[in-house]
Amino acid sequence: ASRPFHPDDTRIEIRGHVVGGPEPTLIAGPCSVETREGLLEIARAIKRSGAHMLRGGAFKPRSSPYSFQGLGEEGLKYLADAREETGLAIVSEVMEPGLVPLVAEYVDVLQIGARNMQNFPLLKAVGRTGKPVLLKRGFSNTIEEWLMSAEYIMAEGNPNVILCERGIRTFETYTRNTLDLNAVPVVKHLSHLPILVDPSHGVGHARYVTDMARAGIAAGAHGVIVEVHKDPSQAWSDGNQTITLEEFDQLARQVRAIHQVM
Ligand code: PEP
Ligand code: MN
């Protein structure tokens, strides 16, 4: 993952869009895949706003075992249907090594969640697929540890790693996490891998998401991943930090405008 071994920026082509390329990467979708119709509606709207990929969790890492855990394979099928209809690439989380082959069958990008950033057997398993991996930073992990986790994936022969800063734990309580924008220029200095920001998990409140998406791009991020829903108050998970389809349309315009002057 280190610059000295690979001076040129890594570019990863996914369904015609190049992550780390000339256009900022826009990934949006619900925290969890819910109903098929609801997902298709979100997919159509974000596509119109210029998104490149649809996100949505089918296997969810919930803090409580009694919270909704995701639709599992059924959710992956809905995501594949949305790709079929819109052409959007699909990003979804995989939580266990044993499920990597199944999730890889459906998605274009395998997401490794913050809680699994140092699940080394899982990192090796996604490394063996050769599929693009969105590697989220653990909320208590250093940049050094994060880059080492990228190394675990790459050491299996998979160079297609996209880093994602999603906020770290600090003493602050007004926000869910603290989006560590310092990480963006630091990672770009140390590594050739593309880096996205996730302001949704980074701040935890919908009202701050667009501001921090803009800030992430201004700091040099190659794109953003955000949680969107037709009616955030009805979302099955992370509704508080989820923006509306209209807000996403605005966010996408602003992100493109800022990226253009970078
Ligand atoms: C998510 O993307 O919905 C998610 C669970 O993210 P993180 O792993 O960053 O908490
Ligand atoms: Mn979420």
Side-chain angles (χ1 to χ4, degrees):
S2 171
R3 274 272 178 216
F5 292 95
H6 192 300
D8 296 333
D9 287 345
T10 292
R11 292 169 171 235
I12 304 171
E13 187 176 339
I14 302 165
R15 289 193 178 262
H17 168 73
V18 181
V19 179
E23 260 192 75
T25 300
L26 290 165
I27 307 175
C31 178
S32 303
V33 177
E34 302 172 358
T35 65
R36 187 173 178 281
E37 257 325 300
L39 185 71
L40 287 173
E41 204 172 336
I42 293 168
R44 291 181 199 116
I46 65 165
K47 174 77 181 179
R48 280 196 298 275
S49 298
H52 307 100
M53 304 188 208
L54 174 67
R55 62 145 290 149
F59 296 94
K60 296 300 301 178
R62 303 306 300 279
S63 297
S64 164
Y66 308 116
S67 300
F68 174 57
Q69 302 285 307
L71 295 178
E73 186 171 6
E74 194 63 18
L76 296 175
K77 288 184 177 158
Y78 298 169
L79 287 164
D81 291 345
R83 171 176 55 210
E84 178 80 24
E85 187 185 316
T86 61
L88 289 165
I90 298 302
V91 185
S92 198
E93 177 163 354
V94 60
M95 294 200 295
E96 21 180 325
L99 286 176
V100 169
L102 174 80
V103 179
E105 230 181 88
Y106 289 94
V107 307
D108 299 285
V109 179
L110 292 159
Q111 175 173 323
I112 299 295
R115 291 157 191 78
N116 274 317
M117 191 205 84
Q118 287 189 313
N119 181 338
F120 302 119
L122 181 63
L123 297 175
K124 289 186 199 175
V126 298
R128 288 191 292 269
T129 66
K131 280 221 165 199
V133 176
L134 182 76
L135 178 63
K136 291 192 144 196
R137 178 182 181 183
F139 40 69
S140 298
N141 288 109
T142 64
I143 293 171
E144 175 78 18
E145 289 164 341
W146 186 18
L147 293 175
M148 279 301 174
S149 290
E151 211 66 56
Y152 263 93
I153 298 167
M154 299 171 81
E156 296 296 319
N158 185 352
N160 303 310
V161 179
I162 304 162
L163 299 168
C164 178
E165 164 58 42
R166 50 78 73 208
I168 55 176
R169 287 237 164 126
T170 68
F171 52 82
E172 185 50 67
T173 54
Y174 276 106
T175 50
R176 180 179 179 184
N177 291 289
T178 296
L179 188 66
D180 181 15
L181 290 182
N182 293 356
V184 176
V186 172
V187 160
K188 287 177 77 180
H189 173 222
L190 297 174
S191 175
H192 50 86
L193 296 173
I195 178 167
L196 309 183
V197 292
D198 173 349
S200 306
H201 293 87
V203 300
H205 301 279
R207 59 158 48 82
Y208 312 131
V209 167
T210 302
D211 292 330
M212 295 311 287
R214 289 197 305 264
I217 297 296
H222 298 100
V224 300
I225 175 168
V226 291
E227 291 182 337
V228 307
H229 197 282
K230 184 180 185 217
D231 182 358
S233 71
Q234 297 302 308
W236 296 4
S237 58
D238 281 352
N240 286 344
Q241 64 190 38
T242 298
I243 61 172
T244 64
L245 301 173
E246 295 75 25
E247 286 166 335
F248 177 70
D249 190 67
Q250 277 287 106
L251 179 152
R253 283 173 209 282
Q254 295 176 3
V255 159
R256 280 191 295 265
I258 292 170
H259 193 267
Q260 201 149 41
V261 300
M262 294 294 293

